[in-house]
Each structure stands twice: as C-alpha cells, then as structure tokens.
Amino acid sequence: LPSTLITIDYHAFTGSELMSIEIPSSVKYIGNYAFSSTNLISIEIPSNVEYLGSYAFAYCEKLTNVVIKEGLEIIKDRAFINCPITYLELPTSVNTIGCEAFAECELGTIDLSNVKTIEQYAFRDNKNLSTIYLSTKCRSIGNYWITSSYNQNKITIIYSYVF
C-alpha cells in the first residue's frame, strides 16, 4: 500500500484471500469490516491509527498474532471477534475495549492494566484464558465480560493498585 494512504475504508478487503499486509504508518482510519474474513495470520496496527472500526478484523480464521502500537485509544465492538488470536500486545493508550471485541478468540493471558472501560462480552468464550491483569485505572467492566460456556480453566485475575 502507498505510504500516503490515510484511510482503509468499509469492506476494503473483506473476504479476500489476503494473507499478509503492511499497513503504512500514514493510515489513521481503518473502517468497519475492512479486513474481515481474510486469511491474515498476523497484523501490526501502526501508531497513527486513530480509529479501528467494528468488525475490522472479524472472522479472520487464521489470525493468531495482533500487535497494536501506541496511539489507538478505542477498540470498537467485535473488532477481532472469532479470530484464533493467541498473542495480543496492547499499548498503554488503549483505554476502551468494545463489546465482544475479542470474543471467541484463543487468548491465554491478557494485560488490561491500562484499560479504563471493558464493555460487555469483550472476552467472551476465550477457551484458553488463564490470566488477566487489571489495575485501579479500570473504572467500568461490562456484563459477562469473560463468560465462557466451555472454558474449564481457572482464570486468575491479578489486580494492582496504580497511583
């Protein structure tokens, strides 16, 4: 993609056979469904991205690694729903995780120590979930945020006091 690109809009790559892509650092907006149902294996979202739309990477059945660089503040509803994500790197700038944003993924450990708002069902049905890091920065946690119908693991929540 060109280094001057600013917007990847609604359904730009939906359903394509796309396996890898480097999002230019110039991109500020990734629209709803932009990469949904593609064959992406990993994605790095650059620091200039200000908006990551709903369902942006939803239903990417091979997407296991997600790195979000410092800058993005809100992960919209269902942005990564039903992706087999096992590795998630969130920057300290992310303060809101939307409804079902990471539902039906395969995360084991999640560091949410800088997140202020976790909406309902945000991590629903993560069958490998074992450890969650939270802190006093978190002001709101939605209903059933980690509910699971098949997770047999004990989930440890490590809570820290942050000044």
Side-chain angles (χ1 to χ4, degrees):
L1 298 176
S3 62
T4 55
L5 187 67
I6 295 171
T7 299
I8 300 174
D9 218 342
Y10 182 77
H11 284 288
F13 295 95
T14 298
S16 71
E17 296 296 318
L18 185 68
M19 294 177 68
S20 68
I21 192 165
E22 184 175 327
I23 298 172
S25 60
S26 57
V27 171
K28 293 183 178 190
Y29 180 94
I30 298 176
N32 298 347
Y33 298 93
F35 295 96
S36 66
S37 300
T38 60
N39 288 324
L40 286 172
I41 295 167
S42 66
I43 192 68
E44 182 175 299
I45 298 170
S47 61
N48 280 354
V49 173
E50 297 170 358
Y51 181 86
L52 178 64
S54 297
Y55 295 94
F57 294 92
Y59 309 108
C60 292
E61 295 179 355
K62 297 179 181 177
L63 184 60
T64 57
N65 295 304
V66 175
V67 175
I68 301 172
K69 295 294 187 177
E70 195 69 42
L72 185 67
E73 294 181 7
I74 300 171
I75 298 174
K76 299 295 275 184
D77 297 348
R78 298 167 194 87
F80 295 94
I81 191 172
N82 202 9
C83 296
I85 300 168
T86 56
Y87 178 79
L88 172 64
E89 186 177 319
L90 289 177
T92 59
S93 60
V94 171
N95 61 45
T96 301
I97 308 236
C99 177
E100 294 187 304
F102 294 96
E104 300 174 35
C105 294
E106 297 182 16
L107 293 165
T109 299
I110 309 167
D111 185 353
L112 304 173
S113 55
N114 289 295
V115 177
K116 294 176 184 170
T117 302
I118 303 167
E119 295 186 7
Q120 64 186 10
Y121 300 107
F123 296 93
R124 174 184 59 79
D125 288 337
N126 271 263
K127 62 184 172 187
N128 298 325
L129 195 55
S130 61
T131 308
I132 300 170
Y133 293 90
L134 287 174
S135 77
T136 53
K137 289 183 180 182
C138 190
R139 299 288 183 215
S140 175
I141 297 177
N143 296 334
Y144 308 108
W145 70 292
I146 57 171
T147 190
S148 179
S149 58
Y150 52 84
N151 186 343
Q152 300 301 312
N153 299 334
K154 289 182 178 181
I155 298 173
T156 302
I157 297 176
I158 300 172
Y159 186 77
S160 61
Y161 185 81
V162 178
F163 296 99

